[in-house]
Amino acid sequence: MRSLATGSTILREDRRLALFRHLVETHLTEHRALDFYASSIGVTTRTLGRLCRAHLGAAPQTLINRRLALEARRLLAYTSK
């Protein structure tokens, strides 16, 4: 059974990761630096890296690049771009 502290830590991490994902979607075409995302969430780039690797299985820049690649494939398939 988890303690309350562990549960609240997980919820805080989930909120930060949800915010990171939202920021990536919102600023996708602006090609923001990792510092932008980390400072917007209120963490260091190192902490953002730890959170992403622990919960999403990849570094934050890798996740951003994957999302950019997905968007490029979508634009190629469904638009004239």
Side-chain angles (χ1 to χ4, degrees):
M1 189 178 274
R2 279 189 239 167
S3 69
L4 182 58
T6 303
S8 65
T9 300
I10 291 170
L11 288 175
R12 184 174 60 241
E13 290 172 355
D14 286 350
R15 276 185 262 144
R16 290 185 291 190
L17 289 172
L19 182 54
F20 171 66
R21 288 177 162 182
H22 173 74
L23 288 169
V24 168
E25 290 296 321
T26 303
H27 300 282
L28 190 65
T29 60
E30 298 168 20
H31 303 284
R32 299 284 188 142
L34 220 44
D35 288 341
F36 167 79
Y37 296 106
S39 64
S40 296
I41 296 167
V43 299
T44 64
T45 54
R46 187 174 181 182
T47 298
L48 179 59
R50 277 193 228 127
L51 285 170
C52 288
R53 279 188 288 282
H55 297 281
L56 303 175
Q61 191 62 56
T62 300
L63 296 168
I64 293 167
N65 291 342
R66 286 179 186 168
R67 182 59 187 93
L68 281 167
L70 177 65
E71 185 65 13
R73 285 192 303 272
R74 186 191 70 77
L75 289 172
L76 287 169
Y78 298 109
T79 68
S80 62
K81 293 183 180 182

